[in-house]
Amino acid sequence: MGNFIGKSVKRKEDVRFLTGKGRYTDDIKLPGMTHAAFVRSPYAHAKILNIDTSAALRAEGVVAIFTGSDECGNYGVPCGWQVNFKNGETMREPQQPLLAKGKVRYVGEAVAIVIAETLEQARDAAELVEVDYEELPAVTNPKEAMQDGAPLVHDQWPDNRAFDWCIGNDRAEVEKALASAHHVTELEYVNQRLAPNAIEPRSYIADYNVAEDKWTLYTSTQNPHLIRLLLCAFALGIPEHKVRVVSYDVGGGFGSKIFHYTQEALLTWVTKQIGRPVKWTADRSEAFLTDAHGRDHVVKAKMGFDKEGKIVALLADEYCAMGAYLSTFAPAIPTYLHGTLFQGLYTTPLIHLDVTAPFTHTVPVDAYRGAGRPEATYLLERLIETGAKEMGMDPADIRFKNFIPAFDGVNQPGYQTQVALQYDSGNYAPVLKRALEMVDYENFRKEQAEARKQGKLLGIGISTYIEACGIAPSAVVGALGARAGLYEVGEVRVQPTGKVSIYTGSHAHGQGHETTFAQIVADKLGISIEDVEIIHGDSEQSAFGMGTYGSRSLAVGGSAIVKSIEKVLEKGAKIAAHKLEAAVEDLEYADGKWTVKGTDKSISFGDVALTAYVPHDYPEGVEPGLDFSSFYDPVNFTYPFGAHIAVVEVCPDTGKVTLKRFVTCDDVGNVINPMIVDGQVHGGVVQGIGQALLEGVVYDENGQMVSGSYMDYAMPRADDVPMIETDRTVTPCPHNPLGVKGAGEAGTIGATPAVVNAVVDALWHLGVRDIAMPLTPARVWAAMQGKS
Amino acid sequence: MIPAKFDYVRAGSVSEAIALLDKYGDEAKLLSGGHSLIPAMKLRLNRPAVLIDIGHLSELKSITEEGDEVVVGANCTHKQIATSELIASQASVLAEAARTIGDVQVRNRGTIGGSLAHADPAADYPAALLAAEAQIEVEGKNGRRKIPAADFFQGMYTTALADDEVVVAVRLPKGSQGTYEKFFQPASRFAIVGVAVVKRNGGVQVGITGASDTPYRATAVEQAYAEKGVDAAELAAEGVDMMEDHFADAAYRAHLAKVLTRKALA
């Protein structure tokens, strides 16, 4: 069929976003609604000696105040992924309390909640809550957290280790291969902590209806059904069928809105206590302090090569911060979403990663766009690039030498990695070839040499990546510790008039699902895109769902919709056959109608739909209605890949890096809407550039966050970024009906090492081998002075 | 992002503002463009009991010539200063600095008087005023006085203003043509270091902001300039304690001071 798949259809949802008509949680005002403000810890680690709420309770407009000593202090939010220690013991899992009890463990941890008639009153009263603390020493760096004598985050365990973990081949074997390698490249670095910075801060409204004994939670989440499950079954122990979770429009998440936050559970508890709705919306300071952060790995890694530049072994040791508590997916990020990508695009025969994941006196660390995979790509791409340069080889050539040969996953089997995963399909050389062509790599080296003569420092950096998306086959992730399935649900309700409503368990917070999914439906049914409506974000509308993260919506959510459409067409054919007095086998479906092959006898989709709902003249044994729901559980992850190349100029006087060009050739499988994919790549690349050059959460020695505002935390701006040049190759996914692989995180995964490689390339002749991210002018200049 | 409670009074004139300042003492803060004060109040880092609004006073909004001076009213916005023909022709160093402040919205609202009274150590104007040997004219209950820029800035967020005084104008000697070289802090877009140079009577006057907790005249550079020319820039951080933060350590700030001074002198 196909009037829509592959077309850059303009985003349907943009009309409401661009005209200020979105429905964000904070826009919702319920009758009788109260407002919450939090009293937060000013210390990274302290005993709570006393909390005096008496003055605050007397303040104007105060409805209630709760602390960890109240019943809510007995509840905590669960972790959704269990990782076991190398020795098989279960990870250490502290309760993440709804309000701190006895101790605070990071700056910004909530100590009390103040509910008042207005937000202003809540804020004012919160200042009147007096908390006596005894400050204790804190540790925020994951490596330091594992040193002897480091302050303990949780006193019940003898050290800060939440778990340790390893993957790959036998460590001794890998070490042996490194010992006999022709060349070994070694890097020690920090993959720094990042704040997610979604434009809409987290916002929740909980509303308990006494008459129905029912809760509604409006929440800025990426996965309303999962929040309902965690909230009901694990956090509060309330009946799931009595809770509706609504998440209409959400202004970005980048992972930070996947997780079940304590405030969601606390507000749900509070609303029943006070018998009124209660709202809380984070301000930007609270977002910096309390949104789960990303990255924070302290890394030591070695890559061994033979004479020809073939990788013979890869070994890494990482300290990966968990923060003070285990956030929903936290244990999975530096393990199953990280170590499993250490094969990269290369044929490396021996791989081993050891991870130590300590608690730290910081806000929890969890998935942030890319989630484990940018960290893996950074490690691989910095090592192979550095190795090439150290051996005097061309960084592009060494990659071509090491690429896994092409396989389509149909005629050739998938590629079994050394780190558990089996890649679905891949053809890696063409993406790098194309990116090199786009950037005119051959001429660049001449240009660089010429520029250097004039005192200009130009550099080029390559990054090739693979990621595991389309998260995920339930049985596989279950075996790896996930406490949920990761299928998706797609329901197609055909209305009597032939208009179509789609209820998806995927959740859009900027991705454009209302357009992409509508394109699929309109395309497959041969109807107009205006006749399709995509509904998401309400647990009482969509039957179930696992939400959106891990570039999964199209590959998993889209496939669920396709399954339901197939069922609609199958049933529709029976009705059509009856009406046309023909056999089902004699019909064909095209352009929105069933036709008896070789005749002009046909019936439209709309007429069949009407017949299904007005079944006066109807096939025997067929139920009325045209309405199907499907669960799609993928058989494998999907494996998009690509090549990114950055060209930079470094100011010899100040060390300031200017990005001159940024080129990508990605392969995300089949593409439904090229414009949306380009947009995803652009946004992701800019976030990747942000990590390379600008962003970083900084805690001081007392655990105070010194980068907790936009005056101190540098986000990339339009003028920091050149026009991003994108292209694609297409290697379809062999195991889902759309052949799609996912595009949401590719940019972030590929971009960061490309930029750092480019800066190091510009300065290699000065002896610079590595610079810590973010590559601030001060750090680049220091490196140029031999001080890195 | 909700300020603590405060009262708001709209002053009808400078003298009324002074009387109100006298009445409320250090409980009060003057409001002009509000682009430093209001954000600090929203974070409750600053919680005045009373805001005395002088932002609308037209008597402080003009840019005029008086004898050998260009007089810039305290309520002039950065935009006004960046686009004034008089400033462009007689005190361009000030316009150069104004152009680099914040973004369009900030420049449309923020005022020079507010910026000077706030005295952020990384603000742009101080470098230009030091280089121009400008005077800051203030008025209090004891009348008006003119404070040389070099005496006005006394430390981080600290000035020579008395509690009852209002900045009413900035006076720049005509011929304060010069340049401002700024290295932007990437998040705030304030200056990590900003260097203003005015060349006058064959010599140079150099003002430096952002580098130290107080903006300063680079006198060592000025003295060495006749002999060393642009190489005098190497003395830009001489004898001055540099600030440090996660964007730039002291060594880098000192280096930037030299690089930017050289560029501004060239």
Side-chain angles (χ1 to χ4, degrees), chain B residues 58-252:
Chain B
S58 54
E59 58 188 286
L60 304 180
K61 273 189 179 155
S62 57
I63 299 170
T64 55
E65 293 176 83
E66 273 181 34
D68 290 339
E69 290 180 328
V70 175
V71 184
V72 182
N75 273 347
C76 289
T77 62
H78 313 317
K79 164 81 185 298
Q80 236 180 311
I81 290 165
T83 55
S84 155
E85 281 180 25
L86 179 57
I87 291 176
S89 62
Q90 290 297 342
S92 67
V93 71
L94 192 68
E96 294 281 320
R99 262 196 276 285
T100 69
I101 298 172
D103 53 26
V104 171
Q105 291 88 337
V106 169
R107 290 194 291 276
N108 279 335
R109 283 292 303 173
T111 65
I112 188 168
S115 173
L116 296 177
H118 183 62
D120 189 302
D124 299 295
Y125 284 132
L129 297 192
L130 286 165
E133 294 193 324
Q135 299 194 91
I136 291 109
E137 186 170 3
V138 304
E139 188 174 334
K141 60 184 179 197
N142 298 323
R144 289 200 174 201
R145 63 181 179 128
K146 293 173 196 166
I147 309 169
D151 299 332
F152 184 80
F153 303 106
Q154 298 190 336
M156 214 178 264
Y157 306 107
T158 311
T159 67
L161 269 177
D163 283 350
D164 67 316
E165 283 179 326
V166 181
V167 175
V168 291
V170 176
R171 293 176 171 268
L172 299 102
K174 282 186 181 168
S176 295
Q177 298 297 91
T179 52
Y180 180 62
E181 292 292 341
K182 173 174 176 176
F183 200 82
F184 288 84
Q185 196 258 48
S188 68
R189 303 256 161 152
F190 273 72
I192 288 182
V193 176
V195 177
V197 167
V198 169
K199 291 187 179 171
R200 191 176 278 146
N201 307 325
V204 293
Q205 296 164 190
V206 182
I208 299 185
T209 190
S212 176
D213 63 359
T214 313
Y216 64 95
R217 272 288 281 274
T219 45
V221 176
E222 295 176 5
Q223 283 156 15
Y225 181 72
E227 191 190 328
K228 296 188 174 171
V230 294
D231 288 340
E234 289 306 306
L235 303 169
E238 200 72 9
V240 182
D241 282 339
M242 297 284 116
M243 291 197 289
E244 296 209 273
D245 57 33
H246 59 282
F247 292 104
D249 60 15
Y252 186 65

Side-chain angles (χ1 to χ4, degrees), chain A residues 40-90:
Chain A
R40 297 188 178 282
S41 170
Y43 299 113
H45 189 201
K47 272 186 203 161
I48 301 170
L49 302 177
N50 185 47
I51 304 176
D52 181 356
T53 58
S54 55
L57 278 167
R58 288 194 299 270
E60 191 186 344
V62 170
V63 174
I65 300 176
F66 301 102
T67 71
S69 309
D70 292 297
E71 188 207 338
C72 58
N74 301 330
Y75 301 116
V77 297
C79 180
W81 200 298
Q82 181 180 313
V83 170
N84 294 333
F85 277 85
K86 284 188 264 191
N87 68 10
E89 280 175 35
T90 306

Side-chain angles (χ1 to χ4, degrees), chain A residues 60 119-120 123-124 127 283 285 653-654 656 694 698 706-707 710-714 717 719-720 776-778 781, chain B residues 1-5 42-44 47 120 183 185-190 246-249 251-252 255-256 259-260:
Chain A
E60 191 186 344
L119 179 55
E120 292 76 6
R123 283 289 173 94
D124 286 343
E127 290 193 332
D283 63 24
S285 304
D653 294 331
T654 64
K656 185 175 163 58
L694 294 159
V698 181
V706 296
S707 57
Y710 288 140
M711 296 292 277
D712 308 295
Y713 187 96
R717 306 187 198 206
D719 62 355
D720 294 318
T776 58
W781 179 76
Chain B
M1 292 301 280
I2 296 168
K5 271 186 193 152
K42 284 183 171 177
L43 293 168
R44 299 194 174 201
R47 42 176 79 213
D120 189 302
F183 200 82
Q185 196 258 48
S188 68
R189 303 256 161 152
F190 273 72
H246 59 282
F247 292 104
D249 60 15
Y252 186 65
H255 171 71
L256 276 187
V259 168
L260 299 178

Side-chain angles (χ1 to χ4, degrees), chain A residues 6 82 120 149 173 232 238 289 301 308 321 371 399-400 422 425 442 447 484 506 530 539 545 594 649 681 753 763 767:
Chain A
Q82 181 180 313
E120 292 76 6
E173 217 182 313
C232 295
I238 55 177
L289 289 174
E308 275 72 47
R399 288 176 169 90
F400 284 120
Q422 190 184 53
S425 60
E442 300 231 330
E447 201 187 318
S506 297
E530 281 74 36
S539 68
W594 283 272
E649 183 170 349
V681 171
L763 306 176

